[in-house]
Every structure is written in structure tokens, then in C-alpha cells.
């Protein structure tokens, strides 16, 4: 049977996005798992593990800025890239997508604030210190 998934297939450990690179799209996990890593001077800190139907990189839809975390495949993963134009088209077809995105972003911001308060991350004025994915 032919695989009808459109996303790109990543091997175990393969980078999907790299902290510090410019981003302009969102990624949706179709199959498998990915890990979100914050690179610090002391080494890597695992921020999250995401699975099927979850997304990351959403800030790239709103502002072309540098990625604040690295994301890599945990095992085999298939990930769909969604650019701004296609995202807006999808929202016009199903406006609840915008609500779900904002809800997830709000949850991630709350978790990032907790981590900062707990001292797990330094807060600095450089772009790499923010916790958005």
C-alpha cells in the first residue's frame, strides 16, 4: 500500500530544526516522536517530547526570527511542514485551528514561565534565551 502522508521522513537523531536558525513555518508530527532541546552553555536540556498530531515551530508563522530550540527525531518520525499561506488557508476552512494553536501556545508559555522561575533557564536579552518552539 502506498503511503499517502505528505510529510518528510526523519531518521533517529536527525535534526528537524536547529536552535539559532531562522524559521518561517510550523511543523506537524504525523508519525513518531520528536524531542525539543534547549542548547545552553552547560549542554543540552530536554524541554519536551512531542508525538503524533502535535506541532512545533509555530512562532515562525508570525515572525521570522531565530528558532529558540533544536528539534530532532526520536526514532523514525514523519513531519509535515506548513507555511504561512497554507496555514491561513486551513484556518479559513476550520477556524477552530486558530483557537487550538493559541491554546497550545498559552500552555507552552505558562510552562516556560514555570521553568524560568524554577531556575532551569537563564533569562537574557539574546534571542536564543526565549522558550518558544
Amino acid at each position: 500500500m502506498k503511503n499517502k502522508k505528505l510529510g518528510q521522513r526523519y531518521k533517529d537523531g536527525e535534526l528537524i530544526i536547529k536552535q539559532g536558525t531562522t524559521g518561517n513555518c510550523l511543523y506537524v508530527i504525523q508519525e513518531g516522536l520528536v524531542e525539543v532541546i534547549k542548547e545552553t552553555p552547560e549542554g543540552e536540556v530536554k524541554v519536551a517530547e512531542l508525538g503524533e498530531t502535535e506541532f512545533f515551530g509555530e512562532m515562525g508563522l508570525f515572525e521570522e526570527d531565530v528558532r529558540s530550540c533544536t528539534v530532532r527525531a526520536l526514532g523514525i518520525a514523519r513531519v509535515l511542514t506548513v507555511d504561512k499561506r497554507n496555514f491561513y488557508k486551513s484556518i479559513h476552512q476550520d477556524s477552530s485551528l486558530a483557537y487550538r494553536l493559541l491554546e497550545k501556545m498559552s500552555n507552552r508559555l505558562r510552562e516556560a514561565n514555570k521553568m524560568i522561575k524554577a531556575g532551569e533557564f537563564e533569562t537574557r536579552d539574546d534571542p536564543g534565551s526565549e522558550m518558544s518552539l
Side-chain angles (χ1 to χ4, degrees):
M1 185 190 331
K2 252 186 173 177
N3 188 344
K4 295 183 180 182
K5 302 269 182 171
L6 299 175
Q8 182 174 337
R9 185 174 181 268
Y10 293 90
K11 297 176 187 169
D12 185 36
E14 191 173 355
L15 290 184
I16 301 168
I17 61 173
K18 175 80 172 134
Q19 179 175 318
T21 59
T22 303
N24 63 1
C25 57
L26 142 84
Y27 299 84
V28 179
I29 304 163
Q30 294 178 305
E31 295 174 356
L33 296 172
V34 302
E35 63 181 344
V36 181
I37 303 294
K38 178 73 175 172
E39 297 175 24
T40 71
E42 293 78 32
E44 293 183 345
V45 177
K46 186 173 183 174
V47 176
E49 192 172 296
L50 305 174
E52 290 182 25
T53 73
E54 292 188 281
F55 59 86
F56 57 92
E58 65 277 3
M59 295 301 291
L61 292 174
F62 304 105
E63 52 189 36
E64 286 191 35
D65 202 354
V66 295
R67 300 289 189 187
S68 60
C69 291
T70 292
V71 179
R72 65 181 168 225
L74 277 177
I76 302 296
R78 185 171 299 278
V79 179
L80 180 68
T81 303
V82 181
D83 64 15
K84 191 179 288 193
R85 192 182 107 238
N86 286 321
F87 179 71
Y88 288 151
K89 218 173 13 174
S90 296
I91 285 178
H92 280 95
Q93 293 170 354
D94 180 4
S95 59
S96 72
L97 288 174
Y99 176 80
R100 292 194 308 261
L101 176 70
L102 289 172
E103 183 178 45
K104 181 58 93 172
M105 290 173 73
S106 175
N107 291 338
R108 287 179 177 168
L109 182 58
R110 182 173 286 110
E111 287 303 311
N113 285 336
K114 285 180 188 175
M115 292 173 96
I116 290 167
K117 282 182 183 178
E120 293 182 40
F121 291 104
E122 289 182 32
T123 54
R124 299 184 304 248
D125 289 333
D126 69 344
S129 68
E130 298 175 24
M131 274 296 305
S132 63
L133 301 176

